Every structure is written in C-alpha cells, then in structure tokens.
Amino acid sequence: MASNSFQPALPPNLDPDLAAWIQAMPKAELHIHLEGSIQPETLLELARRHGRVHELPSDDLAELRRWFVFRDFPHFVEIYLTISNLLRTPEDFALIVHACGADMAAQNIRYRELTVTPFTHTDLQQKGLTLDDLLEGLEAGRVQARRDFGVEMRWIFDIPRNVSFQGPEQRYDPGPAERTLAYALAGRDYGVIGFGLGGYEVGAPPEPFAHAFRAAKEAGLLSVPHAGETLGPESVWGALDALQADRIGHGVRAMEDPALLTVLRDRAIPLEVNLTSNICLHVYPRLAGHPFPHLDRMGLILTVNSDDPPLFNTDLCREYALLATEFGYGRADLARLARNAFQVSGAPPALKERLLAEFDRWAQQGEL
Ligand SMILES: [Zn+2]
C-alpha cells in the first residue's frame, strides 16, 4: 500500500519512537494544493505521456528531485506553471489524484481536502480542457484512490486572486470569481465542499470577492480563503467580514492584532497553518520565531498542513514532527491538533462521524 515516492528528511533530533507514532496516528489534512502535491516522478510520467519531456529541465529523476527543492518564489512559480501545463486530460488528473491517494496511505492520512484552481486549467491555459474533463478526472482518481487505499478526498475550488485585477489601474474583474463559482457549484456532486481564494495577497484584497463567496455559502459551500500570509491582519479581517470565512488558510499574521486574535478565538474560526511553507516563502525567517505555539496557547483552533509538500521538501508527518522538535509538543498535544483537522473539516456529517470515531478509537488504544 505504501507509495514509492520520495520521503523528505525528518528533523535529525526527532525521537524515532515519536516519528513512528506520528506516522501511525490517523490524520486529516485541510490545506494542500492538488497541483502542488505532485511528486517529480509523476511529473516525469505526465511529460512522457504527452511527449513533452523536453519541457522539463531534465529527464533524470534524481535531477528533477533536485530541481524541485525550494530556492525562491520565482523558481516555485516556474515549477508550478510547468506542472499545470502538463495537466491536459481527464486521465492526467486521475493519475495525480490516485498518486495523492497513495501518498495519503503512506502517511496514514485518512481524509484530505485538496484545493484545485479550475480557472487556471480551463480558462487561463489554452489546453482544450473543459470543466467536465476536470471533474471526470478528479472523480475517477478519487474513486480509484478510495478503492485502492481506503482514503477519502474532497475538493476546494479556489479563485486565483491576482488575475482578478486587470490593467494599469488594477480594476477588479469579476470574471474569474464568477467562473470559479459556477465550477464549484457544478462540482458539488463530485465532492466539492469548499470555495477558496488563493495566490499572492498583495494588491488583491478580499473585499471585491464578496459577491462570489456570498453565493457559494448560500449554496452550502464552506468559505475557506487564504489570508494573513503575505499580508497582515487587514487581510484576515477582510476574509472574516467580507467573505464570512469558515476557516482561514494560513491566518498566522493575525498574531499582529490582539483584537483579531480575540475574534478568531471567540468565533472559533480555525486556522490552517503551514509551518514549512511559511519559512520557505519568508513569512517568518526561522521556525523558532513562528507564532504557532503562541496562537495555540491563545486558544485558537489550529490545524497542521503541508500546502505544497514536494515543493517545500516536506510532508504532513514532517510538519507534526517539527512541532515536537521546535516547540516541544508531546503526544497529547499533537493528537489534539490532529483531531482538530477532522473536527473542522467540511466532510459530510456521516463521514466526519466515522473518521472521528476511528480517530478516537486509535487515541484510546494509543499511548498518549
Ligand atoms: Zn495554500
């Protein structure tokens, strides 16, 4: 059942018993981008499938792995675009979703909410891919992954915020939001449970997107925008007030505003935290200065996530391990955080109940 994909190095000072315990703990992950979850070997397979290996920097897997290692933001974007451009057919999406399922099994991730940006594939990039192609591929991969690995996936469709502001005056164009909304509504029968807003926050505030989020929420989707990553508290306030956020992607820079922290705690709005991503993208210079333990002590509901794991040379098990080695988290606290992710997920009620029961059974038997 294990995937043969490359495993990132765990922190060298991690107790091996704790590493095994983290691996065995049933986990849920709420913040991970499908396009950013692809391993180099899958990318190579896609390139071969389409006769486009020449578009990669190398056809050697070891070389590709080195190319994947995070350097800086422009390099990250270059890899992201290369990946996106090689996702051209329903079968491509089925392949990457199935590979994602194998990775879930290897890490004992029982449930994942994957963010997908349909507008990029169907509108921005001229690949001849339709929404029906995309939904068909996602669904085929999801069904195969459930059958082969017993894992559950749901989708969050997100608006790419930066392409929504056009021209020298950066005027708001509602097109990407309206198209993404239509796609998300059509996707509800295929496991779409959330509506997101992704991309670079600077110059792309949440407020103009309120129209689409209102409609998404009325249709029963969760509002899960990215906010408080590249911008500070004002972006999180906007996500709460204008987008009625049910959870915040990142949100860690709420740390800079005590009034905002109080609101997030009192309204029980969970944050989807991505430690390694925050360091790679320079939200914080060092892990030791990350506000995770402070936000946790403040009583906010936190979840642990990996964002774009192969591109940040991490995975979910490693993110939990970092809490232990950097901040001294022990088993009881790690299990509490893991349970949060099941609890605040957008899983349908019967599934959520089943996943929580499974987690609680493990916790009762496990050595907490
Ligand atoms: Zn993200």
Side-chain angles (χ1 to χ4, degrees):
M1 73 160 208
S3 88
N4 58 0
S5 62
F6 181 69
Q7 301 288 312
L10 287 167
N13 52 338
L14 180 68
D15 169 16
D17 286 346
L18 187 57
W21 181 88
I22 288 171
Q23 204 282 336
M25 175 168 68
K27 291 173 286 295
E29 183 165 34
L30 308 181
H31 191 123
I32 174 170
H33 299 262
L34 178 64
E35 298 90 336
S37 73
I38 297 175
Q39 298 282 346
E41 44 269 65
T42 311
L43 187 66
L44 192 55
E45 189 175 340
L46 288 170
R48 288 203 176 111
R49 180 181 275 193
H50 295 299
R52 288 172 175 259
V53 175
H54 60 279
E55 291 179 11
L56 299 180
S58 171
D59 61 0
D60 176 72
L61 191 54
E63 279 290 322
L64 276 184
R65 281 185 179 142
R66 273 193 286 282
W67 181 61
F68 256 56
V69 172
F70 186 84
R71 284 173 222 164
D72 52 30
F73 192 67
H75 178 70
F76 171 79
V77 171
E78 181 194 332
I79 298 175
Y80 223 97
L81 291 176
T82 304
I83 291 171
S84 271
N85 190 43
L86 287 171
L87 293 168
R88 310 186 74 88
T89 65
E91 292 73 25
D92 295 346
F93 282 91
L95 173 76
I96 65 170
V97 172
H98 188 261
C100 172
D103 169 60
M104 291 173 70
Q107 296 191 69
N108 202 23
I109 299 170
R110 307 292 301 139
Y111 174 86
R112 228 176 209 174
E113 287 177 11
L114 287 131
T115 294
V116 183
T117 314
F119 189 79
T120 303
H121 300 292
T122 58
D123 295 68
L124 281 182
Q125 296 180 327
Q126 301 295 315
K127 300 186 284 196
L129 189 87
T130 65
L131 177 72
D132 285 344
D133 293 335
L134 176 64
L135 290 174
E136 181 192 325
L138 294 178
E139 184 64 7
R142 192 167 79 115
V143 168
Q144 287 164 16
R146 187 188 290 132
R147 183 194 62 206
D148 292 349
F149 309 113
V151 295
E152 285 288 344
M153 298 181 214
R154 295 294 184 274
W155 315 112
I156 294 166
F157 279 6
D158 80 334
I159 309 165
R161 66 203 308 161
N162 308 99
V163 299
S164 305
F165 296 86
Q166 299 286 348
E169 289 169 18
Q170 290 289 289
R171 196 187 299 274
Y172 177 66
D173 167 13
E178 282 170 4
R179 303 276 287 176
T180 304
L181 174 66
Y183 299 156
L185 297 183
R188 281 175 300 174
D189 292 339
Y190 299 89
V192 175
I193 53 88
F195 194 60
L197 180 63
Y200 195 58
E201 287 170 79
V202 176
E207 286 78 4
F209 299 93
H211 63 106
F213 278 82
R214 197 178 312 118
K217 286 200 68 152
E218 278 167 12
L221 296 171
L222 289 179
S223 165
V224 283
H226 285 57
E229 177 193 18
T230 43
L231 280 186
E234 69 278 15
S235 169
V236 181
W237 281 117
L240 288 177
D241 295 340
L243 309 185
Q244 307 296 311
D246 295 295
R247 300 193 310 244
I248 305 279
H250 297 285
V252 284
R253 290 191 55 194
M255 187 63 206
E256 296 159 29
D257 182 346
L260 177 56
L261 289 176
T262 305
V263 167
L264 289 168
R265 183 190 59 200
D266 293 351
R267 293 194 207 159
I269 306 288
L271 304 187
E272 304 156 3
V273 182
N274 305 272
L275 293 171
T276 301
S277 162
N278 287 166
I279 303 310
C280 286
L281 298 181
H282 304 296
V283 181
Y284 300 99
R286 287 175 310 114
L287 209 46
H290 195 283
F292 191 103
H294 187 90
L295 293 165
D296 196 18
R297 275 196 303 275
M298 284 282 300
L300 272 70
I301 300 172
L302 303 184
T303 61
V304 182
N305 305 275
S306 64
D307 210 4
D308 303 286
L311 303 185
F312 297 136
N313 208 18
T314 193
D315 64 13
L316 187 61
C317 286
R318 184 173 170 276
E319 296 296 300
Y320 277 96
L322 289 171
L323 289 173
T325 54
E326 279 291 331
F327 304 120
Y329 275 70
R331 293 182 182 194
D333 282 321
L334 295 176
R336 169 177 59 81
L337 292 163
R339 196 178 194 282
N340 282 351
F342 289 106
Q343 186 77 55
V344 306
S345 76
L351 174 61
K352 187 185 284 196
E353 204 176 306
R354 176 160 70 75
L355 291 166
L356 277 168
E358 182 196 353
F359 182 89
D360 290 340
R361 260 198 316 280
W362 171 85
Q364 277 158 20
Q365 295 160 3
E367 319 97 84
L368 284 188

